[in-house]
Amino acid sequence: MARSTARFLLLITLIPLFLLPFCCGCFHTERDALLQFKAAINYSSRSFLSSYLSSWEKGGDCCLWDDISCHNTARHVVSLEIHGDYYGGVISKSLCTLTSLATIRLTYMGLTGTLPPCFVNLSSLAILDLSYNELEAETVLSSICLLSNLSVVDLSGNLLNGSLPSCLGYLSSLTELHLSSSLPFLDLEDNVLEGETVLSSICLLSNLSKIYLSRNQLNGSLPSCVGNLSSLKELHLPYNMLSGNIPLSSSLAVLDLSYNNFEGETALSNICLLSNLSEIDLSENQLNGSLPSCLSSLSSLIELHLSGNGLSGNIPLSSSLAVLDLSANNFEGETALSNICLLSNLSEIDLSTNQLNGSLPSCLGNLSSLISLDIHGNHLSGNIPYSLGNLSSLKYFDVSNNSLSGSIPDSFGNLSSLESMDLSYNHLNGTLPSSFSRLSSLTELYADGNAFNQSIASSVLPSSIEGLSLSLDDQHMISEAFLHNLSKLDNLYLSNCEVNISSTWIPSFQLGSLFMTSCKVDGQIPLWISTQFSLLELELPDNNLVGEIPSWLFDMSIQYINLTANHLEGRLLLNSSARNSLVVLDVSRNALSGQIPSIWPPNIEALLLNENFLTGNIPPQLQGFCSLEIVNLANNYLNGIIPPSLANCSELQNLNLGDNHLRGMIPYEFSKLSELQSLLIKNNQLTRSLSPSISNCTALHLLDVGQNFFKGQIPKSIGNLTKLKVLAMRKNHFEGNIPAEIGQLKNLQILDLSSNQLSGLIPYSIFSLQAMLVEIHQEFSEVQLEIVGQSFGMFYTYKIGLTMNSKGRDEHYTYIFPTMMAIDLSNNHLNGDLPSDVGKLKGLKLLNLSMNNFSGVIPNSIVQLIWLESLDLSANHFSGQIPPDLGSLSYLGALNFSNNHLSGNIPQGGHMTTFNKSSYSSNPDLWGCPLPKKCSWPEFAPSPPPISTSINEEEQSEESVGYDMGVGLSFVAGFTIVLVFIVLKKKYFEGVDSVLKIFFPWLHNLTL
């Protein structure tokens, strides 16, 4: 009895100890550890993160805190999951005391440093997600190597670089860490891992089922050991630099190798062996040739993405396929689309930007599961099949940028699921069918760039429309009645049509974007636009707008304003509201006057005020210009100096101050503009020498300082601008030699140093300009500025221009084409021979060396410039013969050899017969058509001797000289006798005339 009583008392004593965790919450040591972790994080009390951690208070039950999970019975913390808002801090070593932790997710918190060494004590840890922080590489991965129970690792978006530590590869050979090789999930996306060894290390983790290594710097070939990962289901390696063969595991279901460098035809053939594949993505590689027929045997294949390659030929595909993306390839003909009709399970088709032609097959209407059909950017023609109206599941339909004609089928009214339709830029006519009113799900309709020639009833458009683009012929206009019922309209694009909307109209909608291009909008900027309080984009170019820009326009929160090519006038006045919202302002090609405002919005990125009547100085303190990327103030009446404060615009990419009255020099401070891509200051009154500091702007693609008063030598440091594609320095006072360093400009397409005072020889390095050596050139792309506002993203295209002498006259080029290659060194004091190396510049289209002191012969190698369109060597001292094969240059359209010392016969054949005598004038010893000298010969008279090409050239030349002298003396003597008879004895004229007609008809013609 006593023993039972003792046991009962002991039990009563122990029960509180067992219940202590449940009645008092988590262990105080773990609570304190979490509070120490909180203290190591940097965050504002008003931050998003603070709302998550507000429950973390001293003395509370940590098991009830946000983002914390505890074991149901033991009350130990087992999970810590925080998704922060990137405020920084470190991972506190206090977490090491939470030895029961099985899950750690600390994402987007801006954590720095590394994992504390004591993390090796977290033996229960199975899931570790530290993605999108700024953690260091080696120590993090070394710590992970010792966490033997890990099943999921996510280290995406950190500072991992180089290769993976060797310990990852050795895990399977270490018995105490054997379980590490069973890691089934590895995510190391968005880091800087590089080389070929990373994947080799991973190969030893034999139980991996998923690998994510996208957006790193992996290169070389995939190691063959990847094919031995028998548990591998998903392999994601996009956005790397991988190439070579693709050895893969037969267990693989998802393969993503997009945005790499795989090439050829064999890559896809190897993939055919992977019978379990359900998804393949090899888009944006360098694959070419035809799709292998074995792809049709992949019975599990559901998605195939091969966009952005060079594939062509037939399209053999598996009947199980649901998603097919073959966009941006070279598929052509009519059969490709017909073959696709056999794939009855297709839900998404993208064959855009290929070379498909013919008509749309009506069998497409049988694909009852089709949700998305995108065939834009091909060469399709004919009518849109009526059968497409059977696609009741279709949501997205895009056939824009083709040559489709006829009217839109009335059956389209049956597309009850349709949400977006793009018919733009075809040859469709008629009108929108009345059945469109039944499309209750339609939110986007783009039909501009067609030939609609009938009015569109206002009842046709469903009230669900949010985005609309249209263009009509001149006979039909768009009024407010047409838009009255579109209360959900958000984006309106009207072009090349007549808009007749009352200025005082109050719409039922609130637009986010309004584009009316070439719509004959006249008068002042319509007042009804002021009612659109949500408007972010306004484009009204190429209309007939007049008057001043109203102040209410800048009271709105518009981010993008384009009013170019109108007749707006008055001063440009910005108020305080505009200073907060405006990102792009284009009021170019108007009649604005007055001075440029000195205060601008802090977020403005593009400012285009060119081709107006603006006067005064560029404001020296351009406050708020820190975000500027594009500035165009060209073609105004601005004076004063270029303000050095422009150099404070560290993001500036394109600066055009040309065609003004600016004086002074280029500010030395411009050396800080490391992002500057184009600098145009032509046709001003700038003086002094060209500052060497400009060579620090190493991002420059275009430099035009022409038509100023710069003097001194061209700085040698110009060779540092290796990205330069256009160098224009025409019409200045530069002197001295052309620096040999210009030959370092490997991307140079246009070199214009004309009308200066340069002297000496042409440096040989000029004939090694890399971009001009080949016939296929890199693209000279337009400058693009991506503008991302609160709810929109768009590209704003800014075209740069260039003036240069082409075919004898100044031409202004709005576009610089990829193949535009030109050298103009005319009107200087250059001398010496023209080296034969000029023939190496095979891509050259324009060569102008006129008005210099060049001498010697024209090298025969010049006929190797097969793309040459304009050649001007006039006003020099060239001698010798014209290269006989010059007529083989089939593109040559302008030629000038005048004012030299050339001799011999003008070559005939090819384009040489199209040039008039001005091309060869003032060369006393040159003869042959089109010059009158020896251009036509009598039938009996021998032709001038051909130019010799044999080894006995010297002997034949002497014989030719003797022959020519004999013929010439005989001709002179005979012609003199005739003239004597004509002058001294007029009565003999009739007799002589008769004799000439009978015996010497060709000489008779010369005397007429």
Side-chain angles (χ1 to χ4, degrees):
M1 181 68 180
R3 182 176 297 177
S4 298
T5 302
R7 288 176 179 174
F8 177 75
L9 292 174
L10 180 61
L11 181 61
I12 294 297
T13 304
L14 292 176
I15 283 177
L17 297 177
F18 284 111
L19 295 179
L20 184 62
F22 301 97
C23 65
C24 299
C26 66
F27 292 94
H28 69 89
T29 54
E30 297 187 357
R31 180 181 61 225
D32 292 344
L34 290 171
L35 291 174
Q36 291 177 39
F37 166 76
K38 176 184 176 181
I41 300 174
N42 303 325
Y43 65 92
S44 166
S45 60
R46 293 176 293 178
S47 71
F48 181 71
L49 184 60
S50 68
S51 62
Y52 277 89
L53 302 183
S54 59
S55 60
W56 291 31
E57 296 293 341
K58 188 174 182 180
D61 182 0
C62 64
C63 292
L64 301 178
W65 291 354
D66 292 332
D67 307 319
I68 300 296
S69 297
C70 292
H71 192 277
N72 288 334
T73 55
R75 307 302 287 168
H76 285 291
V77 175
V78 295
S79 174
L80 170 62
E81 303 186 42
I82 302 175
H83 183 83
D85 52 1
Y86 228 80
Y87 275 93
V90 297
I91 299 176
S92 171
K93 65 180 181 180
S94 64
L95 292 184
C96 298
T97 62
L98 306 178
T99 55
S100 297
L101 269 178
T103 299
I104 296 178
R105 296 187 189 274
L106 304 174
T107 63
Y108 292 93
M109 294 179 63
L111 298 173
T112 59
T114 184
L115 295 180
C118 60
F119 251 54
V120 296
N121 300 327
L122 301 180
S123 58
S124 300
L125 196 62
I127 298 174
L128 178 63
D129 184 354
L130 300 175
S131 58
Y132 297 95
N133 286 285
E134 298 178 7
L135 298 170
E136 297 172 5
E138 291 79 3
T139 51
V140 171
L141 287 170
S142 299
S143 299
I144 289 174
C145 288
L146 303 176
L147 298 175
S148 57
N149 283 324
L150 275 176
S151 61
V152 175
V153 174
D154 190 345
L155 292 174
S156 308
N158 279 280
L159 301 179
L160 305 179
N161 54 51
S163 57
L164 295 179
S166 58
C167 65
L168 280 181
Y170 297 149
L171 288 176
S172 63
S173 62
L174 299 172
T175 56
E176 67 274 16
L177 295 174
H178 176 71
L179 292 178
S180 296
S181 64
S182 65
L183 186 69
F185 188 93
L186 177 64
D187 189 340
L188 297 173
E189 290 182 336
D190 292 299
N191 283 289
V192 205
L193 298 172
E194 59 186 6
E196 302 183 44
T197 59
V198 173
L199 287 169
S200 298
S201 300
I202 291 174
C203 283
L204 297 177
L205 306 175
S206 58
N207 289 320
L208 276 174
S209 64
K210 297 179 182 180
I211 298 176
Y212 293 86
L213 282 167
S214 64
R215 292 178 292 274
N216 279 282
Q217 296 178 14
L218 305 178
N219 54 32
S221 301
L222 284 171
S224 58
C225 62
V226 173
N228 300 327
L229 298 176
S230 57
S231 299
L232 192 62
K233 302 296 183 185
E234 297 185 19
L235 178 60
H236 301 268
L237 301 174
Y239 296 95
N240 282 287
M241 296 173 283
L242 298 167
S243 58
N245 295 324
I246 305 179
L248 299 169
S249 169
S250 59
S251 62
L252 205 62
V254 177
L255 173 64
D256 186 355
L257 299 177
S258 58
Y259 294 89
N260 278 285
N261 297 322
F262 294 103
E263 58 185 2
E265 300 184 48
T266 58
L268 285 170
S269 300
N270 295 340
I271 287 174
C272 288
L273 303 174
L274 308 178
S275 57
N276 293 317
L277 276 175
S278 61
E279 296 180 24
I280 299 174
D281 192 345
L282 278 165
S283 55
E284 300 298 335
N285 277 279
Q286 300 172 28
L287 306 176
N288 53 34
S290 301
L291 290 174
S293 57
C294 60
L295 283 177
S296 59
S297 64
L298 297 178
S299 57
S300 300
L301 192 61
I302 297 175
E303 295 188 20
L304 179 61
H305 303 270
L306 298 174
S307 64
N309 284 286
L311 298 166
S312 58
N314 295 323
I315 305 180
L317 298 169
S318 169
S319 58
S320 61
L321 206 62
V323 177
L324 174 63
D325 184 357
L326 300 178
S327 60
N329 279 285
N330 297 320
F331 294 104
E332 57 185 4
E334 301 183 46
T335 58
L337 281 171
S338 300
N339 293 341
I340 286 175
C341 289
L342 302 175
L343 308 177
S344 57
N345 292 318
L346 277 174
S347 61
E348 297 180 25
I349 299 175
D350 190 346
L351 280 166
S352 60
T353 56
N354 277 281
Q355 307 294 326
L356 302 177
N357 53 34
S359 57
L360 282 170
S362 59
C363 61
L364 288 174
N366 299 327
L367 300 177
S368 57
S369 300
L370 202 59
I371 295 174
S372 176
L373 177 59
D374 188 351
I375 326 176
H376 82 267
N378 282 283
H379 307 294
L380 299 170
S381 57
N383 295 340
I384 299 176
Y386 189 88
S387 62
L388 294 187
N390 299 329
L391 301 175
S392 58
S393 299
L394 194 66
K395 292 184 177 181
Y396 308 100
F397 180 63
D398 189 349
V399 291
S400 61
N401 293 96
N402 280 285
S403 299
L404 298 171
S405 57
S407 58
I408 302 171
D410 188 66
S411 63
F412 270 34
N414 300 326
L415 302 176
S416 56
S417 301
L418 195 63
E419 297 177 6
S420 177
M421 179 189 298
D422 194 343
L423 307 171
S424 57
Y425 297 98
N426 281 282
H427 304 302
L428 300 172
N429 54 35
T431 186
L432 301 181
S434 58
S435 61
F436 268 32
S437 60
R438 303 199 303 267
L439 300 177
S440 58
S441 299
L442 189 65
T443 59
E444 297 178 346
L445 174 60
Y446 305 112
D448 53 312
N450 282 286
F452 295 123
N453 52 13
Q454 298 178 26
S455 59
I456 302 174
S458 58
S459 59
V460 166
L461 297 176
S463 59
S464 57
I465 289 285
E466 297 177 8
L468 175 65
S469 70
L470 280 176
S471 55
L472 298 173
D473 62 16
D474 292 339
Q475 303 301 317
H476 302 88
M477 65 178 61
I478 293 177
S479 66
E480 58 260 37
F482 177 76
L483 303 170
H484 179 69
N485 295 323
L486 304 180
S487 59
K488 296 181 180 179
L489 196 61
D490 182 55
N491 303 303
L492 178 60
Y493 305 87
L494 302 175
S495 61
N496 299 304
C497 57
E498 185 170 355
V499 175
N500 186 10
I501 297 177
S502 171
S503 181
T504 58
W505 176 52
I506 300 179
S508 60
F509 47 73
Q510 281 293 319
L511 294 176
S513 300
L514 173 61
F515 288 65
M516 292 194 294
T517 305
S518 303
C519 288
K520 300 181 180 179
V521 181
D522 53 17
Q524 295 186 332
I525 295 176
L527 185 61
W528 68 266
I529 295 175
S530 66
T531 67
Q532 304 301 293
F533 305 115
S534 301
L535 197 63
L536 295 177
E537 303 171 75
L538 175 64
E539 184 165 336
L540 303 173
D542 198 18
N543 285 289
N544 299 315
L545 297 172
V546 297
E548 297 184 353
I549 299 176
S551 59
W552 56 258
L553 188 62
F554 296 119
D555 287 332
M556 304 175 70
S557 298
I558 304 176
Q559 297 182 358
Y560 168 66
I561 297 177
N562 183 358
L563 303 174
T564 186
N566 282 284
H567 308 290
L568 299 168
E569 56 189 8
R571 299 185 64 184
L572 183 63
L573 300 173
L574 276 74
N575 48 34
S576 57
S577 298
R579 295 170 193 165
N580 297 321
S581 59
L582 198 59
V583 177
V584 172
L585 177 63
D586 186 352
V587 291
S588 60
R589 299 170 59 195
N590 280 284
L592 299 175
S593 58
Q595 295 187 339
I596 299 173
S598 60
I599 299 178
W600 289 87
N603 297 318
I604 193 164
E605 296 178 359
L607 178 64
L608 292 92
L609 309 180
N610 50 298
E611 297 183 62
N612 281 285
F613 299 100
L614 299 173
T615 58
N617 298 340
I618 300 175
Q621 298 298 327
L622 290 170
Q623 300 176 29
F625 264 37
C626 57
S627 300
L628 269 173
E629 297 182 12
I630 294 176
V631 176
N632 191 346
L633 307 179
N635 292 93
N636 281 287
Y637 296 91
L638 302 172
N639 53 38
I641 64 170
I642 301 174
S645 58
L646 276 174
N648 297 329
C649 308
S650 59
E651 302 298 320
L652 193 62
Q653 297 178 15
N654 304 282
L655 177 61
N656 190 348
L657 304 176
D659 299 287
N660 281 287
H661 304 298
L662 300 171
R663 62 182 187 273
M665 58 184 293
I666 300 175
Y668 287 106
E669 290 81 357
F670 273 26
S671 61
K672 297 187 295 185
L673 296 175
S674 59
E675 302 295 322
L676 195 64
Q677 296 180 15
S678 65
L679 175 62
L680 295 91
I681 50 176
K682 68 182 183 70
N683 197 20
N684 279 285
Q685 299 169 18
L686 300 172
T687 57
R688 303 186 188 180
S689 59
L690 187 64
S691 172
S693 63
I694 203 71
S695 61
N696 292 330
C697 303
T698 54
L700 273 175
H701 287 70
L702 185 153
L703 176 61
D704 188 350
V705 298
Q707 296 170 270
N708 280 286
F709 300 97
F710 288 114
K711 58 185 180 180
Q713 295 188 340
I714 299 174
K716 294 181 179 180
S717 58
I718 203 81
N720 297 338
L721 305 178
T722 55
K723 294 183 179 179
L724 209 60
K725 296 185 177 182
V726 176
L727 177 59
M729 297 180 161
R730 66 197 304 261
K731 294 186 178 180
N732 279 284
H733 301 299
F734 290 114
E735 58 188 10
N737 295 338
I738 299 174
E741 287 76 8
I742 286 182
Q744 299 171 14
L745 306 180
K746 60 183 179 180
N747 293 302
L748 197 65
Q749 294 179 215
I750 295 175
L751 174 63
D752 189 351
L753 305 179
S754 61
S755 299
N756 282 283
Q757 299 171 20
L758 300 170
S759 58
L761 306 176
I762 301 178
Y764 274 88
S765 62
I766 295 290
F767 305 111
S768 300
L769 289 169
Q770 187 173 334
M772 300 186 188
L773 297 179
V774 292
E775 299 173 18
I776 301 174
H777 317 287
Q778 298 175 349
E779 291 189 5
F780 190 102
S781 57
E782 297 172 357
V783 182
Q784 289 188 327
L785 167 64
E786 184 179 9
I787 302 162
V788 182
Q790 293 178 338
S791 61
F792 71 99
M794 60 170 293
F795 281 96
Y796 182 82
T797 303
Y798 165 60
K799 300 182 180 71
I800 57 180
L802 181 72
T803 300
M804 61 181 301
N805 188 284
S806 175
K807 302 180 181 179
R809 61 182 182 272
D810 280 357
E811 298 282 355
H812 184 75
Y813 293 89
T814 305
Y815 301 93
I816 312 281
F817 293 104
T819 55
M820 184 61 179
M821 301 285 161
I823 293 179
D824 189 348
L825 306 178
S826 62
N827 196 18
N828 281 286
H829 307 302
L830 301 170
N831 55 41
D833 294 345
L834 178 59
S836 60
D837 284 359
V838 68
K840 293 162 58 177
L841 303 177
K842 297 185 184 298
L844 206 60
K845 288 197 170 186
L846 183 151
L847 177 61
N848 189 349
L849 303 178
S850 63
M851 293 182 283
N852 280 286
N853 297 314
F854 293 112
S855 57
V857 299
I858 300 173
N860 286 324
S861 63
I862 207 162
V863 302
Q864 298 173 18
L865 308 180
I866 59 175
W867 297 102
L868 200 62
E869 297 178 3
S870 178
L871 175 61
D872 192 344
L873 302 180
S874 63
N876 280 285
H877 305 293
F878 287 110
S879 59
Q881 296 180 335
I882 297 174
D885 295 327
L886 198 63
S888 64
L889 300 179
S890 55
Y891 293 100
L892 194 61
L895 178 68
N896 194 348
F897 286 160
S898 64
N899 292 286
N900 279 285
H901 306 296
L902 299 172
S903 59
N905 190 17
I906 296 173
Q908 303 299 305
H911 276 28
M912 301 300 288
T913 59
T914 65
F915 304 122
N916 58 37
K917 62 183 180 181
S918 64
S919 296
Y920 309 100
S921 63
S922 299
N923 286 281
D925 299 322
L926 195 64
W927 47 272
C929 290
L931 295 177
K933 186 178 179 182
K934 294 188 179 182
C935 186
S936 176
W937 290 87
E939 292 181 3
F940 70 89
S943 300
I947 297 173
S948 172
T949 56
S950 68
I951 6 181
N952 299 321
E953 199 168 28
E954 187 175 342
E955 294 177 6
Q956 293 187 12
S957 177
E958 292 176 358
E959 293 175 6
S960 298
V961 170
Y963 180 86
D964 287 343
M965 289 180 64
V967 172
L969 288 172
S970 300
F971 180 87
V972 171
F975 190 72
T976 303
I977 292 171
V978 172
L979 290 178
V980 168
F981 271 104
I982 292 172
V983 174
L984 300 179
K985 202 81 173 176
K986 185 176 181 182
K987 66 180 181 179
Y988 290 108
F989 179 78
E990 292 180 2
V992 173
D993 186 62
S994 300
V995 172
L996 291 176
K997 281 185 178 180
I998 296 171
F999 296 103
F1000 304 99
W1002 60 277
L1003 188 56
H1004 168 266
N1005 292 335
L1006 289 175
T1007 63
L1008 293 181

